[in-house]
C-alpha cells in the first residue's frame, strides 16, 4: 500500500466483454452473485412517503437499518440521497459515462485495460459481484480515472463503487452517483479522500481520535506494536475491505447521509470492541495489525451490526467542523515534512529512534506509549532535548 509491500495493478481479463449496457434493470441486482450473498433481506411494508421524510428522520432510519427491509427501497434511497449531495456544477453524469465508455471500450469489443494509477497497490473488494459486476466495476473505475484526473490516490473508491453496483440499475447510474460523491463540495463535509496527502491526514486524524476516545485500546496497541501509525493506517480497510458485506452495507447506509464523520465513529467502535476481546498477554509477540484484521473479518462472532452501530453513535465525538480542522492541521504538518505523494513508508510517523533509544527514566516500550499520546501532527518531528537535570543542574535560576 505504501511501498513496503509489492505494488499490484489489477488488469481486466481478456474474457471480459466491454459492451455498454444502456438497459434499465428496475429490480437492480443484475451485477450480484446471489449464491454468495448472505441471508436474504426480509421484505416489509414500506410507506410511500419514506423518501420525503426530513433529514434527521432519515438519519435515524438509516442507523436503525430500515433500508435493509427492501432492496428496491435501498436502491431508491441511495439514488435520491446522492442526487441531493451538493457538488461541483460540472460533474459527469450517466450520459457522459455512456459516451466515454463507448469511446474507451467500444460497443462489443473485447480488450484489457489497466486500472488507473491512483489505485496502484490498493485492494479491490468485489462484495459478491458476479463476473459482469466485476467487469462493470473495472470499467467505472477506468472512466473515473479518465474524467477525474485530479485524483492521485484513493484506496476506498473500489469498495464504494462495488457497494453501489449492488443497488444500481446499470453502470451509468452507478458512475453518476459515485461521481457526485467525488465532486461533493459541501462545507466541512468529505466523502472520498482523493490524494495520498488527504489519506495520510485521515489516518493521523483517526490516531488522534483513538488516543482520546479509546485510551485503553490505544495504550494496548502502543505497548505491543512497534509502530502505532502503521496499525491505524488500515482503519478504512477495516470498514470497507475486512468487514462482511452485511456490516459494510449498513455502514454505507449512514455514510451516504452523514459523510466521512461516521466512519471515524464506527472504526473507533471496532477498536473498543477489539480491546474487550483481547488481553495484553495474548498479544505478546503477535502481529497486532494482522490480528486486528482477523478480528474485523470475524466481527459477527463478537458483536451484531446493530450493536456495533449503537456503540459507534454512543461515542461523544467532535463535530464535523472540528474533525475537518483536525484534518487540516495534520495535512499542514505533512506538507511541512514534504510528504504529499505516495512513497516508501518512512519513520516520519515515529520520529523517536527506538533502536538507539536510551533513558534512565523510561524504557523503550514506555517511550512508545508516551510518544503515542502526542498529537499525530507533532509526533512527526523528532524530539529535541532542551533541559536535563543531570546536565543542567536543578537551579530554578538556570
Amino acid at each position: 500500500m505504501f511501498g513496503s509491500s509489492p505494488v499490484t495493478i489489477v488488469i481486466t481479463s481478456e474474457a471480459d466483454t466491454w459492451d455498454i449496457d444502456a438497459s434499465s434493470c428496475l429490480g437492480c441486482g443484475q451485477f450480484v452473485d446471489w449464491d454468495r450473498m448472505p441471508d436474504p433481506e426480509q421484505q416489509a411494508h414500506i410507506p410511500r412517503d419514506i423518501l420525503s421524510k426530513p433529514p434527521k428522520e432519515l438519519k435515524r432510519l438509516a442507523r436503525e437499518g430500515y433500508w435493509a427491509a427492501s432492496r428496491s427501497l435501498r436502491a431508491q434511497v441511495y439514488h435520491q440521497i446522492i442526487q441531493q449531495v451538493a457538488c461541483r456544477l460540472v460533474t459527469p453524469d450517466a450520459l457522459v459515462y455512456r459516451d466515454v465508455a463507448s469511446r474507451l471500450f467500444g460497443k462489443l469489443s473485447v480488450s484489457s485495460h489497466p486500472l488507473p494509477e491512483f489505485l496502484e497497490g490498493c485492494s479491490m473488494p468485489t462484495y459478491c459481484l458476479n463476473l459482469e459486476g466485476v467487469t462493470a466495476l473495472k470499467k467505472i473505475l477506468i472512466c473515473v480515472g479518465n474524467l477525474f484526473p485530479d485524483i492521485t490516490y484513493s484506496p476506498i473508491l473500489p469498495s464504494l463503487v462495488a457497494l453501489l453496483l449492488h443497488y444500481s440499475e446499470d453502470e451509468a447510474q452507478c458512475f453518476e452517483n459515485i461521481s457526485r460523491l467525488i465532486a461533493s463540495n459541501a462545507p466541512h463535509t468529505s466523502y472520498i479522500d482523493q490524494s495520498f496527502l488527504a489519506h495520510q491526514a485521515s489516518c493521523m486524524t483517526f490516531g488522534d481520535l483513538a488516543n482520546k476516545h479509546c485510551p485503553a485500546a490505544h495504550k494496548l496497541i502502543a505497548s505491543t506494536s512497534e509502530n502505532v501509525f502503521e496499525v491505524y493506517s488500515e482503519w478504512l480497510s477495516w470498514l470497507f475491505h475486512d468487514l462482511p458485506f452485511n456490516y459494510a452495507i449498513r455502514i454505507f447506509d449512514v455514510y451516504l447521509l452523514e459523510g466521512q464523520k461516521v466512519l471515524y465513529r464506527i472504526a473507533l467502535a471496532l477498536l473498543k470492541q477489539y480491546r474487550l476481546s483481547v488481553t495484553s498477554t495474548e498479544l505478546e509477540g503477535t502481529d497486532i495489525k494482522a490480528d486486528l484484521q482477523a478480528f474485523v473479518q470475524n466481527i459477527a462472532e463478537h458483536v451484531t451490526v446493530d450493536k456495533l452501530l449503537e456503540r459507534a453513535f454512543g461515542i461523544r465525538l467532535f463535530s464535523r467542523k472540528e474533525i475537518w480542522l483536525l484534518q487540516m492541521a495534520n495535512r499542514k504538518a505533512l506538507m511541512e515534512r514534504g510528504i504529499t505523494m505516495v512513497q516508501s513508508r518512512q519513520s516520519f510517523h515515529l520520529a523517536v529512534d527506538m533502536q538507539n533509544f536510551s533513558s534512565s527514566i523510561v524504557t523503550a516500550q514506555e517511550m512508545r506509549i508516551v510518544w503515542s499520546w502526542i498529537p499525530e501532527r507533532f509526533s512527526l518531528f523528532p524530539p529535541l532535548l532542551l533541559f536535563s537535570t543531570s546536565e543542567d543542574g536543578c537551579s530554578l535560576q538556570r
Side-chain angles (χ1 to χ4, degrees):
M1 184 172 173
F2 291 95
S4 57
S5 57
V7 171
T8 303
I9 301 178
V10 181
I11 306 227
T12 58
S13 166
E14 284 294 334
D16 292 341
T17 303
W18 297 79
D19 57 315
I20 307 304
D21 183 7
S23 64
S24 174
C25 178
L26 295 178
C28 301
Q30 62 173 314
F31 301 116
V32 181
D33 183 348
W34 293 103
D35 293 333
R36 294 171 52 211
M37 284 289 284
D39 295 335
E41 297 163 342
Q42 298 178 353
Q43 295 300 315
H45 172 68
I46 308 299
R48 292 187 176 182
D49 66 340
I50 187 70
L51 297 178
S52 62
K53 291 188 178 295
K56 190 173 182 179
E57 179 69 5
L58 286 175
K59 287 180 182 180
R60 182 185 68 80
L61 293 173
R63 292 180 183 187
E64 294 176 358
Y66 199 78
W67 314 148
S70 165
R71 282 190 58 83
S72 60
L73 171 64
R74 205 173 227 153
Q76 292 176 59
V77 169
Y78 280 6
H79 189 64
Q80 174 166 309
I81 290 172
I82 296 174
Q83 288 300 309
Q84 293 175 352
V85 169
C87 61
R88 296 193 291 267
L89 186 61
V90 181
T91 299
D93 58 13
L95 289 175
V96 171
Y97 174 79
R98 292 190 177 96
D99 178 64
V100 172
S102 177
R103 175 167 51 83
L104 286 177
F105 315 120
K107 296 210 172 185
L108 295 172
S109 65
V110 177
S111 183
S112 60
H113 292 260
L115 289 176
E117 289 184 6
F118 65 76
L119 292 177
E120 283 188 9
C122 301
S123 59
M124 196 169 74
T126 55
Y127 291 119
C128 307
L129 294 178
N130 56 26
L131 290 177
E132 182 184 357
V134 173
T135 298
L137 169 62
K138 295 169 183 175
K139 290 169 65 177
I140 291 168
L141 290 171
I142 291 168
C143 286
V144 166
N146 188 270
L147 291 165
F148 291 92
D150 290 342
I151 301 179
T152 56
Y153 189 75
S154 187
I156 193 177
L157 200 52
S159 299
L160 301 184
V161 176
L163 289 172
L164 271 176
L165 271 172
H166 279 258
Y167 300 93
S168 297
E169 293 181 356
D170 55 20
E171 296 169 19
Q173 185 191 69
C174 181
F175 171 83
E176 179 173 324
N177 285 336
I178 198 66
S179 293
R180 293 188 68 85
L181 296 181
I182 292 171
S184 169
N185 60 2
H188 310 312
T189 300
S190 172
Y191 283 100
I192 302 172
D193 291 334
Q194 299 171 37
S195 68
F196 182 72
L197 177 65
H199 176 73
Q200 286 287 84
S202 74
C203 294
M204 292 170 65
T205 298
F206 179 74
D208 290 330
L209 296 175
N211 184 17
K212 178 176 181 179
H213 296 280
C214 307
H218 179 77
K219 183 178 179 180
L220 178 67
I221 292 173
S223 64
T224 54
S225 173
E226 287 295 321
N227 199 313
V228 181
F229 187 90
E230 183 88 21
V231 177
Y232 291 153
S233 68
E234 303 294 324
W235 78 280
L236 280 172
S237 294
W238 302 343
L239 304 180
F240 292 122
H241 179 269
D242 300 326
L243 279 177
F245 174 82
N246 55 326
Y247 283 72
I249 199 65
R250 286 287 300 278
I251 293 171
F252 197 63
D253 290 346
V254 293
Y255 162 78
L256 287 181
L257 280 164
E258 303 184 52
Q260 199 178 51
K261 175 186 172 183
V262 300
L263 302 185
Y264 288 110
R265 282 185 172 278
I266 296 163
L268 289 174
L270 284 170
L271 203 58
K272 282 177 174 282
Q273 187 65 39
Y274 176 71
R275 177 64 186 90
L276 294 174
S277 69
V278 297
T279 63
S280 55
T281 53
E282 290 175 343
L283 290 177
E284 288 182 8
T286 302
D287 181 350
I288 196 166
K289 190 164 76 165
D291 196 58
L292 245 170
Q293 182 183 39
F295 170 81
V296 174
Q297 290 171 345
N298 297 286
I299 190 65
E301 299 175 6
H302 305 278
V303 63
T304 64
V305 64
D306 290 298
K307 199 66 179 176
L308 179 66
L309 290 176
E310 180 185 323
R311 291 174 182 173
F313 290 105
I315 299 172
R316 296 188 62 184
L317 197 57
F318 299 142
S319 68
R320 180 182 285 112
K321 182 177 180 180
E322 287 171 315
I323 288 181
W324 180 79
L325 290 172
L326 188 57
Q327 286 178 315
M328 292 301 103
N330 285 325
R331 285 175 66 120
K332 181 179 178 182
L334 286 166
M335 291 175 70
E336 287 177 359
R337 289 296 308 272
I339 301 164
T340 58
M341 303 296 290
V342 180
Q343 53 194 267
S344 298
R345 193 181 288 279
Q346 302 174 8
S347 59
F348 63 80
H349 42 264
L350 191 65
V352 180
D353 182 4
M354 293 302 171
Q355 298 273 336
N356 302 310
F357 177 79
S358 64
S359 170
S360 59
I361 301 174
V362 294
T363 65
Q365 184 186 46
E366 290 169 337
M367 186 57 186
R368 281 207 303 269
I369 296 173
V370 171
W371 198 251
S372 76
W373 291 335
I374 300 171
E376 293 278 4
R377 61 187 178 279
F378 300 128
S379 65
L380 286 172
F381 301 91
L384 177 65
L385 181 63
L386 297 180
F387 175 86
S388 169
T389 53
S390 62
E391 295 179 8
D392 302 305
C394 300
S395 171
L396 291 178
Q397 293 179 347
R398 288 191 292 172

